[in-house]
Amino acid sequence: MEYRMEHDTMGEVAVPAEHHWGAQTQRSRENFKIGGQRQPKEIITAFAYLKDACAQVNAAEGRITPEQAQAVSAVCGEIREGKWDNEFPLVVWQTGSGTQTNMNVNEVIAHLAGEHGVVLHPNDHVNRSQSSNDTFPSALHIAAVLAVVQDVLPAARRLEASFAALEAKYPDLIRIGRTHLQDATPLKFAQEVSGWRELVAAPCRMLEQSLSELRKLAIGGTAVGTGLNAPAHYDQNVCAHLTKLTGVTFEPDANKFHALTSKDALVFAHGALKALACNLMKIANDIRWEASGPRCGMGELHIPENEPGSSIMPGKVNPTQCEAVTMVAVQVMGNDTAISVAASQGNFQLNVFLPVSAYNFLLSTRLLTDVMDSFRIHCVDGVTANEERMEANLRNSLMLVTCLTPQIGYERAAECAKKALHDGTTL
């Protein structure tokens, strides 16, 4: 492998010649060989939006030239398109402020611009009027908002629509209800499915509510929240450019001392993701229980048969999509714990658990988005009711006696149920 020499304030570093990062990125690669989990692509994309907006504002303030700003914008556009994904190799487990990822982005932008004849210094030009302490938390919020708005909510609405279609397919089918895992009074199958539909819709409303705080950015706070080295109204102007670039509204956090040290908005938003995960767990469990069998279980639902279910039992088919949903739900619940602990650890003017917070939040959004689409396509859209089994269980249930209690009283109705159970008869 060929190398070139790059330098920073600590001296020279050998960098692989085919790559476009600089000395600080290389130092991080050498000093943090931990885990292998790279910074999420969503964070790099968010930085590419943020650096683009910052460059435009810096040019308007006369802090960099229009040519330099245009070069930053051009490179950031290519980064957002995924052209330079291999130039962002740093792992999650680095400095807790994300400084090295901020510098990775700065160095790559400066180097690529230089190849087109525009001289940019990673700190003096690309990072002008900024600090890692306000850019990384801003990129985290940008990535989180975009992931919720562009990925999670659309996937959830698609799943909600699938449940609405299943609900409409069986408007009058009656089935026996179950509470405490025991027989209960009847209900329509459509009513049960409407509950599943709302279990998806309700957390979406919670997610939408969380966006009002998540849209607030730390940019303009620079190192400790005072805005040192940033021009007046920098935060407002950057947010205006970001809103235009992304098509999603962003605004400055009015209190930068809060924005740099607190991750409460992230905790609140992830709480809604956890609520969605909990509800998906409930839905998946209901469906796999009701599809259990095919002969010795409940057998009230038919689900798609997607692949063989056993390496030893021929003909066995398992509720694998439901199992995937439940595993994702468990992971999201674990991510929520990590984010909560990380958010509690802000000290003085900074929280230094930012990369792990970003990693877990974005892992949750990615998993939930993917699993909702997979569950919808490979399971929910193919669910059908076993009407004969539902009818047989309904007629065999003892809890139909509840309808008699207004006429004969609770105690006599209980006697009827116990006699039917003892004699092995229907009511």
Side-chain angles (χ1 to χ4, degrees):
M1 181 181 291
E2 295 183 0
Y3 291 86
R4 69 175 190 279
M5 299 306 296
E6 291 279 344
H7 77 277
D8 58 14
T9 57
M10 296 183 69
E12 290 192 330
V13 180
V15 174
E18 72 270 23
H19 286 293
H20 297 83
W21 60 71
Q24 292 196 49
T25 302
Q26 188 63 26
R27 290 188 194 279
S28 183
R29 290 184 72 217
E30 294 171 0
N31 292 335
F32 296 96
K33 297 178 180 179
I34 304 171
Q37 294 85 9
R38 287 168 58 172
Q39 285 288 342
K41 186 177 187 300
E42 298 94 330
I43 287 292
I44 304 303
T45 299
F47 262 110
Y49 279 119
L50 183 62
K51 295 295 178 179
D52 193 340
C54 288
Q56 300 310 309
V57 177
N58 281 328
E61 294 285 341
R63 295 190 165 217
I64 62 175
T65 68
E67 181 187 32
Q68 289 172 326
Q70 180 55 40
V72 172
S73 292
V75 173
C76 285
E78 293 178 349
I79 292 171
R80 294 195 295 269
E81 292 169 1
K83 184 175 179 180
W84 303 108
D85 287 352
N86 289 334
E87 299 303 316
F88 304 100
L90 300 189
V91 296
V92 171
W93 321 106
Q94 52 163 279
T95 174
S97 62
T99 297
Q100 289 142 11
T101 288
N102 180 43
M103 286 308 303
N104 181 195
V105 175
N106 291 335
E107 289 175 344
V108 169
I109 292 172
H111 196 278
L112 289 170
E115 290 186 351
H116 293 88
V118 179
V119 176
L120 291 176
H121 188 280
N123 299 81
D124 294 337
H125 300 122
V126 186
N127 201 62
R128 190 70 184 264
S129 312
Q130 304 153 57
S131 164
S132 298
N133 295 353
D134 67 350
T135 57
F136 198 101
S138 295
L140 171 51
H141 277 215
I142 293 166
V145 169
L146 294 180
V148 168
V149 171
Q150 297 177 352
D151 299 328
V152 178
L153 288 175
R157 286 169 182 141
R158 290 190 292 269
L159 181 57
E160 182 186 347
S162 289
F163 282 126
L166 182 60
E167 185 182 349
K169 187 176 180 180
Y170 298 98
D172 300 314
L173 178 61
I174 306 295
R175 59 163 309 149
I176 197 65
R178 294 177 179 86
T179 59
H180 302 271
L181 300 182
Q182 304 296 309
D183 300 350
T185 54
L187 74 161
K188 291 182 177 181
F189 178 54
Q191 290 173 319
E192 180 179 38
V193 177
S194 77
W196 297 341
R197 172 174 51 77
E198 186 63 17
L199 283 165
V200 177
C204 289
R205 294 193 294 272
M206 299 171 197
L207 267 175
E208 288 167 342
Q209 291 174 10
S210 76
L211 292 175
S212 62
E213 293 298 322
L214 209 54
R215 296 180 194 276
K216 297 178 181 179
L217 304 186
I219 195 68
T222 64
V224 297
T226 61
L228 179 68
N229 292 346
H233 309 299
Y234 186 74
D235 54 353
Q236 296 173 6
N237 294 331
V238 169
C239 286
H241 277 278
L242 276 170
T243 298
K244 185 176 180 180
L245 280 170
T246 63
V248 176
T249 301
F250 292 99
E251 60 184 276
D253 193 312
N255 190 316
K256 302 299 189 293
F257 309 102
H258 162 263
L260 267 61
T261 195
S262 174
K263 292 276 80 60
D264 48 10
L266 202 71
V267 171
F268 186 71
H270 198 274
L273 293 175
K274 182 176 72 171
L276 176 59
C278 291
N279 286 0
L280 290 172
M281 173 79 85
K282 190 265 191 232
I283 295 168
N285 279 335
D286 281 357
I287 290 176
R288 65 176 171 175
W289 272 110
E290 293 178 15
S292 61
R295 292 188 173 180
C296 300
M298 289 174 65
E300 294 185 350
L301 294 180
H302 298 299
I303 59 175
E305 299 181 354
N306 296 320
E307 63 276 313
S310 173
S311 61
I312 190 173
M313 293 175 280
K316 194 173 193 296
V317 178
N318 296 330
T320 51
Q321 289 295 316
C322 296
E323 291 166 3
V325 170
T326 58
M327 286 192 290
V328 165
V330 167
Q331 183 65 57
V332 172
M333 293 174 202
N335 293 348
D336 192 74
T337 299
I339 289 169
S340 299
V341 174
S344 73
Q345 296 301 306
N347 299 121
F348 307 118
Q349 279 69 59
L350 190 64
N351 180 293
V352 291
F353 288 77
L354 298 177
V356 70
S357 298
Y359 175 75
N360 281 279
F361 190 96
L362 294 167
L363 177 58
S364 290
T365 59
R366 202 176 310 119
L367 287 173
L368 286 169
T369 298
D370 289 349
V371 85
M372 283 190 290
D373 278 337
S374 182
F375 186 44
R376 171 179 57 85
I377 294 166
H378 300 294
C379 183
V380 176
D381 285 347
V383 167
T384 58
N386 185 340
E387 298 185 43
E388 294 78 12
R389 181 67 67 88
M390 286 188 182
E391 174 69 16
N393 287 340
L394 177 66
R395 291 187 176 278
N396 197 40
S397 171
L398 301 177
M399 290 304 100
L400 295 175
V401 77
T402 305
C403 300
L404 292 176
T405 56
Q407 282 72 41
I408 66 175
Y410 184 92
E411 292 189 11
R412 294 190 67 191
E415 290 175 7
C416 292
K418 290 178 180 179
K419 177 174 175 56
L421 179 61
H422 181 269
D423 295 347
T425 68
T426 66
L427 287 171

